[in-house]
């Protein structure tokens, strides 16, 4: 690492930190951009919602696959030149995304965006930690970074909703180009030409492992995204994708075990606390994934438009900030890890339980302010402490591999959460829809009464009788669909609540948790820890 200061002598510390945040924010937002408004994206590209979900997983798979390799490039190239290269590539690729409507080109560009994103994030993280000098600066820095990640989806949807409302969907990517440039130019002007980490020759890169790892992750994302839609093993593409996952996975693991310079050291799995922490990260992502059911509830049942939904999520962002500040303080004060985790999962349990009893066909937005804050606080209180525990569970020389495995776990469980929601939404909707249809058929008098009520209400607004009769049938069908969705949401949140209780019980029965000392002063996370 160079002895030359990172920033020019006249640059105040507040300006350097603000610049780092200005670069990090659009980088994090780019991850959630493809699903900022799925309906708008499907309409623009003329595809299914699953295709848009898969485009995000392609982006995610690129991050997970390139993370172990990226550090070598960062170590070889001067930080300023490396940053300039990454930003130029990011702008060019984003411009291609802006100009395409072809799904295969979109997938390729999203994958390339993910790989370049690793470089930008790696630089920003290293700069962030270099700017924090206090004894507990790293713990605070980690908490800030993971809090930013937790807010990424809600914040991206909030700021992009007015744009989608007034322009074509692809304009989002054009806006992102303009958002990238100010922070990037400012950072280039403020930085000296230095190496932030020890310079290492760029040789013997394990491209073979990367070529195995990236398709493995893409195939896994494909199976979990399209499995339910194609009836799982009934479709040959799902079968062959699953075979590819198993085959590539086996070859990849064997290659890592016998390679002198593996992409990921398999020795990390020898540490019990690391396995426990990684499993807990995955379970946290499954629990957090259930939050999308609440978003669907606001849209499908309450009929809220995207702008009002995402304005409501401001309270969830406030909760994340509160939870992250609590987590940082408790980590600095060295509070027992078990206590922090139990407090976080208790808040998550409170949110899901509250929502279970308050799912209804009609509700005011104000009703959901407190539970949204509670959910955000629970996520903020859990994310950083769990990740820090996981990284602290392995020796320093394995910390990069541990972080890379952590990215894989988050990718896999994020994808699994999407698959579970897709499966149970169809499963429970079919069960409850059939039951309610049978009930309505069995009680003909009630059915006719409801239809007459709808028809009379429509006619009172000036709609002709014949049109009102047809519309009344549609309103009844929509009412049945709403009730079926409510039943599904309640069943799914009941399962999640039970799962949280089991997780809390396991945490209570694992005394070794508090024996792991969180120490990250000499450890840095992987380039992109989404």
């Amino acid at each position: 690492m160079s002895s030359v200061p990172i920033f020019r002598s006249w640059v105040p510390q507040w300006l350097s930190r603000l610049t780092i945040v200005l670069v990090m924010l659009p980088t994090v937002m780019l991850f959630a951009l493809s699903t900022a408004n799925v309906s708008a994206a499907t309409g623009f590209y003329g595809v299914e919602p699953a295709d848009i979900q898969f485009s995000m997983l392609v982006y995610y798979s690129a991050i997970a696959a390139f993370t172990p390799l990226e550090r070598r490039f960062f170590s070889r190239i001067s930080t300023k030149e490396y940053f300039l290269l990454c930003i130029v590539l990011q702008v060019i690729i984003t411009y291609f995304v802006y100009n395409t409507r072809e799904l295969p080109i979109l997938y390729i560009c999203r994958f390339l965006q993910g790989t370049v994103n690793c470089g930008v994030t790696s630089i920003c993280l290293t700069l962030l930690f270099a700017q924090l000098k206090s004894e507990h600066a790293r713990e605070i820095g980690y908490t800030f970074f993971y809090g930013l990640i937790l807010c990424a989806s809600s914040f991206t949807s909030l700021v992009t909703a007015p744009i989608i409302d007034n322009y074509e969907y692809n304009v989002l990517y054009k806006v992102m180009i303009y958002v990238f440039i100010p922070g990037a130019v400012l950072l280039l002007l403020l930085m000296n030409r230095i190496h932030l980490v020890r310079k290492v020759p760029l040789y013997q890169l394990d491209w073979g492992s990367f070529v195995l790892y990236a398709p493995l992750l893409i195939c896994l994302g494909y199976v979990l995204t399209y499995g339910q839609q194609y009836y799982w093993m009934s479709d040959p593409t799902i079968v062959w994708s699953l075979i590819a996952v198993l085959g590539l996975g086996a070859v990849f693991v064997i290659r890592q075990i016998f390679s002198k310079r593996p992409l990921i050291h398999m020795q990390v799995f020898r540490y019990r606390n690391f396995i426990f922490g990684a499993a807990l990260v995955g379970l946290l992502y499954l629990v957090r994934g259930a939050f999308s059911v609440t978003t669907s509830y606001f849209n499908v049942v309450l009929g809220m438009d995207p702008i009002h939904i995402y304005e409501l999520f401001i309270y969830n962002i406030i909760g994340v900030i509160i939870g992250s500040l609590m987590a940082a303080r408790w980590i600095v004060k060295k509070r027992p890890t078990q206590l922090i985790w139990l407090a976080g999962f208790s808040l998550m349990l409170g949110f899901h339980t509250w929502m279970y009893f308050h799912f209804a066909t009609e509700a005011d937005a104000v009703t959901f302010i407190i539970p949204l804050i509670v959910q955000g606080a629970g996520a903020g209180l859990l994310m950083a402490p769990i990740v820090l525990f996981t990284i602290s569970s392995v020796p320093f020389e394995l910390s990069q591999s541990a972080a890379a495995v952590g990215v894989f776990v988050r990718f896999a469980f994020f994808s699994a959460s999407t698959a579970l929601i897709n499966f149970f939404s169809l499963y429970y909707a079919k069960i409850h829809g059939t039951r309610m249809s049978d009930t309505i058929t069995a009680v003909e008098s009630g059915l006719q009464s409801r239809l007459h009520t709808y028809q009379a209400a429509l006619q009172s607004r000036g709609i002709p009788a014949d049109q009102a009769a047809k519309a009344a049938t549609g309103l009844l069908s929509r009412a049945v669909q709403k009730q079926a969705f409510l039943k599904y949401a309640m069943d799914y949140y009941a399962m999640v609540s039970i799962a949280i209780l089991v997780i809390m019980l396991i945490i209570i029965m694992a005394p070794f948790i508090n024996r792991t000392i969180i120490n990250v002063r000499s450890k840095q996370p992987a380039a992109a820890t989404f």
Side-chain angles (χ1 to χ4, degrees):
M1 182 173 175
S2 175
S3 59
V4 179
I6 297 173
F7 294 98
R8 301 183 188 277
S9 57
W10 51 268
V11 179
Q13 194 172 61
W14 67 265
L15 181 58
S16 61
R17 292 180 179 178
L18 177 62
T19 305
I20 294 169
V21 174
L22 287 177
V23 176
M24 287 182 67
L25 191 59
T27 304
V28 173
M29 288 175 63
L30 195 61
F31 169 74
L33 201 62
S34 59
T35 55
N37 189 316
V38 176
S39 299
T42 55
F44 178 79
Y45 292 108
V47 296
E48 297 291 330
D51 298 322
I52 302 302
Q53 290 179 342
F54 183 60
S55 71
M56 183 171 65
L57 293 184
V58 168
Y59 182 93
Y60 209 153
S61 66
I63 292 174
F66 195 66
T67 288
L69 204 60
E70 184 277 334
R71 193 68 178 173
R72 296 291 301 277
F73 291 93
F74 186 34
S75 303
R76 177 64 181 88
I77 307 172
S78 171
T79 304
K80 193 171 184 177
E81 282 74 9
Y82 186 49
F83 177 71
L84 178 61
L85 175 64
C86 290
I87 285 295
V88 170
L89 289 174
Q90 194 71 280
V91 169
I92 292 173
I93 297 167
T94 305
Y95 182 75
F96 273 103
V97 177
Y98 165 69
N99 279 288
T100 187
R101 284 178 178 261
E102 300 296 326
L103 201 58
I105 297 176
L106 176 67
Y107 289 155
I108 294 171
C109 290
R110 289 295 283 170
F111 184 86
L112 294 175
Q113 279 183 327
T115 57
V116 176
N117 181 283
C118 289
V120 178
T121 311
S122 182
I123 294 168
C124 290
L125 279 176
T126 308
L127 289 172
L128 177 65
F129 289 119
Q131 291 297 296
L132 301 174
K133 305 294 184 182
S134 66
E135 181 183 359
H136 299 289
R138 278 187 178 269
E139 288 86 345
I140 296 171
Y142 273 92
T143 307
F144 167 77
F145 177 65
Y146 289 115
L148 188 64
I149 290 174
L150 289 172
C151 295
S153 181
S154 298
F155 180 77
T156 302
S157 300
L158 176 66
V159 298
T160 57
I163 300 173
I164 296 174
D165 222 29
N166 294 283
Y167 301 96
E168 290 277 9
Y169 176 81
N170 65 326
V171 173
L172 290 181
Y173 291 99
K174 188 176 183 179
V175 171
M176 287 304 301
I177 293 174
Y178 292 125
V179 174
F180 268 121
I181 292 174
V185 171
L186 188 58
L187 187 60
L188 289 169
L189 290 174
L190 300 183
M191 279 184 64
N192 287 312
R193 189 176 184 276
I194 61 168
H195 282 273
L196 286 175
V197 294
R198 184 173 60 87
K199 189 174 181 180
V200 177
L202 197 62
Y203 66 94
Q204 294 184 333
L205 294 174
D206 194 2
W207 286 108
S209 294
F210 175 77
V211 171
L212 291 171
Y213 196 33
L216 185 157
L217 297 178
I218 293 173
C219 289
L220 178 61
Y222 182 86
V223 170
L224 293 175
T225 302
Y226 293 100
Q228 179 65 33
Q229 182 176 333
Y230 294 154
Y231 300 100
W232 298 103
M233 305 306 287
S234 301
D235 186 81
T237 57
I238 298 296
V239 173
W240 284 110
S241 296
L242 190 57
I243 292 173
V245 169
L246 297 175
L248 291 171
V251 175
F252 177 79
V253 171
I254 293 171
R255 183 183 176 90
Q256 303 314 297
I257 293 173
F258 292 101
S259 175
K260 291 183 178 180
R261 293 181 178 84
L263 197 68
I264 299 175
H265 291 274
M266 294 292 108
Q267 288 88 336
V268 295
F269 294 104
R270 295 178 180 176
Y271 297 89
R272 177 187 59 180
N273 286 12
F274 171 77
I275 296 174
F276 185 84
L280 206 58
V281 168
L283 292 172
L284 175 61
Y285 265 65
L286 287 180
V287 172
R288 282 191 64 232
F291 189 60
S292 63
V293 176
T294 300
T295 308
S296 299
Y297 165 70
F298 290 154
N299 180 29
V300 174
V301 178
L302 299 186
M304 297 175 66
D305 61 86
I307 293 180
H308 287 91
I309 291 175
Y310 298 129
E311 285 177 351
L312 195 57
F313 283 174
I314 291 175
Y315 297 102
N316 188 249
I317 294 174
I318 293 172
V320 171
I321 295 171
I322 294 172
S324 298
L325 291 174
M326 292 171 58
R329 179 169 179 80
W330 285 0
I331 292 172
V332 169
K333 293 292 184 180
K334 299 189 183 301
R335 294 288 186 266
T337 306
Q338 275 182 316
L339 174 65
I340 300 175
W341 290 356
L342 288 173
F345 277 113
S346 295
L347 291 175
M348 299 295 278
L349 177 63
F351 166 76
H352 289 89
T353 305
W354 193 97
M355 290 298 297
Y356 176 85
F357 288 106
H358 287 79
F359 277 126
T361 54
E362 295 181 359
D364 295 327
V366 180
T367 309
F368 302 99
I369 291 177
I370 298 301
L372 287 175
I373 293 175
V374 169
Q375 197 276 348
L381 197 56
L382 287 169
M383 186 68 171
I386 293 176
V387 174
L388 295 182
F389 171 88
T390 306
I391 297 176
S392 300
S393 300
V394 299
F396 168 73
E397 59 272 13
L398 295 178
S399 59
Q400 287 296 315
S401 293
V405 173
V407 179
F408 167 76
V409 169
R410 287 188 283 277
F411 165 80
F413 279 85
F414 178 83
S415 305
S417 175
T418 303
L420 285 174
I421 289 174
N422 290 340
F423 172 76
F424 283 110
S425 64
L426 294 176
Y427 176 76
Y428 283 122
K430 182 178 179 180
I431 290 178
H432 295 304
T434 302
R435 287 177 180 173
M436 279 187 279
S437 297
D438 293 341
T439 302
I440 291 173
T441 304
V443 188
E444 289 294 337
S445 58
L447 171 63
Q448 293 301 323
S449 175
R450 179 65 64 89
L451 284 173
H452 285 311
T453 301
Y454 286 144
Q455 188 172 350
L458 292 170
Q459 285 181 305
S460 67
R461 298 189 178 187
I463 299 177
D466 56 337
Q467 295 182 16
K470 295 178 181 179
T473 304
L475 289 174
L476 180 63
S477 176
R478 187 176 178 184
V480 171
Q481 291 175 0
K482 283 186 177 182
Q483 289 296 328
F485 181 89
L486 286 175
K487 294 291 185 181
Y488 144 68
M490 292 176 66
D491 289 341
Y492 194 77
Y493 270 35
M495 287 194 304
V496 173
S497 299
I498 294 171
I500 294 174
L501 286 172
V502 173
I503 293 170
M504 293 175 67
L505 182 61
I506 293 173
I507 292 172
I508 293 172
M509 297 174 62
F512 60 84
I513 295 173
N514 288 331
R515 291 198 290 268
T516 299
I517 300 173
I518 294 180
N519 177 20
V520 292
R521 294 181 187 177
S522 59
K523 297 175 182 178
Q524 183 165 317
T529 44
F530 293 94

